[in-house]
Amino acid sequence: MRQPSQSPRLSRRSLVGAMITLPTAITLGCDSHSVPTPRRRGASPSPPEGRRFPDGFRWGVATSAYQIEGAVKADGRGQSIWDAFCAVPGRISGGDTGEQAADHYHRYLTDLDIMQSLGVQTYRFSIAWPRIQPDGRGSANQRGLDFYKRLVDGLLERGIEPLATLYHWDLPQALQETGGWEQRDTAQRFADYAAIMFEALGSSVPTWATINEPKTIAEVGYVSGFHAPGKRDPEAAWAVRHHLLLAHGLAVRAFRDSGRARRICPVLNLAPVYPADDASAGSTAVAVADAMENRIYLDPIFKGSYPQDLLADQDKTAALHRVIKDGDLNVIAAPVDLLGVNYYNPVYVDTSGTYVMKHPTSMATWQQLYPDGLHDVLLRVRQDYGDIPISITENGIPTDDAPDGTVVYDPERIEFLRTHLAAVHRAIEDGVGVESYYLWSLLDNFEWSAGYSQRWGIVYVDFDSQQRIPKDSAQWYQDTIARNGI
Ligand code: IFM
């Protein structure tokens, strides 16, 4: 998904909307587990635009382990591919690493209290595989398991429902050294790790996600090389895509074998693909882009087959053909309970297959801002794949926030959230079964190759002092949750 420097940076001011009413006081500082409370502004409980979400709609926030936890050597955690990647000079903006990040490993109680104070109903976090199996195989590291048990207990005590993602990109480095996702065996290793987690937490975590954004792993880890493991090997990327899908299917099978009456889902970053101009409407270039952005993941999982137009291009997909074994697609198509959709941007393609920028971007120059794309992609899923329950498992924007005294103004984020939630609401009105929304992200965090140069949280993190300051958007989200609408 991320190719930081392909397009010129465009204006990101066009979506800036009205500032919300000004604050009263804010509590700073989390050092001793004090909770920074969001500023109250006497908000009306009725949605000003009258867009009320259905009763039972769930409001959440999302994070991932490597981006917030820090504590990379604590309690027997093994090395991950991201620890190794960050150690290579020039890979990460500013030479940043996730070594400390938001120190969530030690400050998780503060962060849980912040969520509770915002009224957040559900929390999507990820489990660091190297905390559980430091070398990616063998028996579980009890101290790693204990951290996630404490986290889940803390959520449940606060009435916040956990959604646990098994893999958000931090592969144990030991598995990378035996071939990583290029190797079929890694899919089985993943299923073994998943089974450990289902055994340990399966009765307290109601919803599980398998692999976050397989597309980003393949495209950015193995094609552009901006993410770990930093390869530029399009041939290898075919094997990686297939093995990630296989790993997903094997984990779903392990989940069913565990006998838990809970739910499990894939998490895909989907992008609506549009022709860039009249000439490209209906072109093969647009179909190919759609196959690579969406169908190569959706079709195997929900239809049990790879897109035929893609497979038919034998030259291009020879490396994929080579790794598919009999029975794999049955495994991959194991029924899931819902679909996690991460939405950040649309894609426009011209007749040559070149991606064209048509909208302003955020400070993440890959992120064209187009809220209607979220509506379109949701309707498309329903039309082509049926009435699957859907959770928006990520949606958000980076802004270059800085505290102004004790406040952090982020009107651009509020406008982003408002317009994207309006698109979700419209999709629900049009009959799509969206049941929940997870804002990316709770905290400012380590944004992969961009390091700490992009702030994606609704809670500002001072990475020196580790103080947390809820931004204006946190208060806006609190009000949105309280009135179940925008
Ligand atoms: O920060 C990432 C996250 O880890 C995966 N989805 C996209 C986010 C923003 O780039």
Side-chain angles (χ1 to χ4, degrees):
M1 182 166 66
R2 316 286 173 257
Q3 222 292 19
S5 56
Q6 256 180 351
S7 60
R9 180 167 165 183
L10 306 175
S11 159
R12 61 191 184 84
R13 296 293 161 202
S14 68
L15 283 186
V16 176
M19 297 266 282
I20 63 173
T21 318
L22 283 182
T24 50
I26 188 169
T27 311
L28 273 173
C30 296
D31 295 336
S32 57
H33 182 40
S34 63
V35 187
T37 50
R39 295 169 292 122
R40 295 298 317 158
R41 61 183 169 101
S44 148
S46 58
E49 296 173 29
R51 293 198 180 100
R52 213 187 128 75
F53 281 69
D55 289 345
F57 189 84
R58 311 281 289 156
W59 299 93
V61 287
T63 65
S64 87
Y66 191 72
Q67 293 181 271
I68 62 166
E69 283 180 1
V72 293
K73 295 191 177 133
D75 296 336
R77 177 188 179 277
Q79 198 189 26
S80 82
I81 55 173
W82 273 93
D83 300 307
F85 190 65
C86 291
V88 180
R91 295 297 205 167
I92 311 294
S93 168
D96 294 339
T97 77
E99 210 171 323
Q100 199 181 7
D103 196 28
H104 172 77
Y105 193 78
H106 298 115
R107 295 166 194 264
Y108 72 97
L109 287 174
T110 293
D111 297 335
L112 295 183
D113 286 347
I114 293 173
M115 281 183 241
Q116 186 179 32
S117 74
L118 294 178
V120 163
Q121 297 159 346
T122 174
Y123 175 47
R124 175 176 177 236
F125 63 95
S126 82
I127 295 160
W129 186 351
R131 288 199 195 281
I132 307 302
Q133 291 178 302
D135 293 328
R137 59 183 79 229
S139 57
N141 169 30
Q142 191 58 44
R143 288 178 297 166
L145 286 177
D146 288 346
F147 171 68
Y148 294 106
K149 283 185 175 159
R150 290 195 298 274
L151 179 69
V152 167
D153 287 348
L155 286 165
L156 296 175
E157 279 159 19
R158 288 165 181 77
I160 301 170
E161 188 179 296
L163 190 168
T165 302
L166 288 162
Y167 185 75
H168 199 123
W169 309 352
D170 39 4
L171 187 76
Q173 176 65 16
L175 290 185
Q176 186 61 39
E177 282 158 19
T178 56
W181 290 111
E182 290 170 62
Q183 286 299 322
R184 188 178 174 87
D185 184 58
T186 301
Q188 189 55 56
R189 300 282 69 76
F190 176 71
D192 292 351
Y193 149 66
I196 291 173
M197 294 315 307
F198 301 146
E199 174 65 28
L201 289 176
S203 52
S204 36
V205 173
T207 309
W208 292 81
T210 54
I211 294 178
N212 184 69
E213 299 185 3
K215 178 170 69 184
T216 309
I217 298 168
E219 302 304 327
V220 193
Y222 286 85
V223 179
S224 69
F226 286 103
H227 279 187
K231 297 207 174 181
R232 293 195 176 163
D233 186 347
E235 286 291 295
W238 289 109
V240 168
R241 291 181 192 105
H242 184 67
H243 294 148
L244 287 166
L245 284 165
L246 186 63
H248 157 82
L250 289 170
V252 173
R253 179 185 277 180
F255 187 67
R256 302 298 177 213
D257 289 350
S258 76
R260 308 283 182 192
R262 303 296 186 144
R263 304 190 308 162
I264 192 160
C265 66
V267 171
L268 304 177
N269 49 328
L270 301 179
V273 178
Y274 305 106
D277 46 34
D278 288 349
S280 46
S283 67
T284 305
V286 171
V288 168
D290 179 50
M292 297 308 293
E293 292 285 342
N294 305 306
R295 289 183 287 127
I296 194 170
Y297 305 101
L298 286 165
D299 281 17
I301 292 172
F302 292 105
K303 296 182 172 172
S305 57
Y306 278 108
Q308 287 311 312
D309 53 340
L310 201 65
L311 287 187
D313 188 345
Q314 296 266 353
D315 289 344
K316 178 174 171 162
T317 56
L320 174 60
H321 285 275
R322 279 199 294 277
V323 293
I324 303 173
K325 305 268 186 264
D326 282 353
D328 282 2
L329 282 148
N330 277 340
V331 174
I332 295 169
V336 293
D337 303 295
L338 73 160
L339 168 65
V341 173
N342 294 358
Y343 176 75
Y344 289 95
N345 59 287
V347 160
Y348 293 84
V349 184
D350 70 15
T351 46
S352 71
T354 303
Y355 280 23
V356 176
M357 304 301 272
K358 301 279 257 189
H359 300 285
T361 73
S362 71
M363 69 187 294
T365 53
W366 52 265
Q367 186 183 27
Q368 293 191 74
L369 300 171
Y370 186 57
D372 286 351
L374 177 51
H375 170 265
D376 292 356
V377 92
L378 292 172
L379 261 68
R380 188 270 175 97
V381 167
R382 191 184 56 151
Q383 179 186 305
D384 291 354
Y385 300 93
D387 266 332
I388 313 152
I390 290 179
S391 172
I392 308 298
T393 34
E394 286 183 28
N395 181 230
I397 185 175
T399 49
D400 52 1
D401 309 313
D404 178 0
T406 58
V407 297
V408 181
Y409 299 109
D410 56 345
E412 196 176 358
R413 175 169 293 105
I414 293 171
E415 187 60 3
F416 177 96
L417 296 171
R418 196 184 59 73
T419 50
H420 283 74
L421 282 166
V424 175
H425 189 269
R426 205 149 51 81
I428 294 172
E429 280 182 335
D430 290 341
V432 183
V434 183
E435 59 171 55
S436 50
Y437 175 88
Y438 293 82
L439 193 165
W440 185 271
S441 183
L442 172 68
L443 302 172
D444 289 340
N445 56 45
F446 175 79
E447 175 55 19
W448 309 113
S449 55
Y452 298 101
S453 65
Q454 295 176 6
R455 292 183 173 273
W456 289 78
I458 54 171
V459 175
Y460 180 89
V461 176
D462 177 328
F463 292 106
D464 294 325
S465 67
Q466 290 297 343
Q467 287 183 323
R468 274 85 163 131
I469 307 174
K471 303 177 189 176
D472 266 359
S473 56
Q475 184 180 349
W476 181 88
Y477 197 47
Q478 179 187 44
D479 292 342
T480 298
I481 296 171
R483 62 193 173 213
N484 195 30
I486 50 172

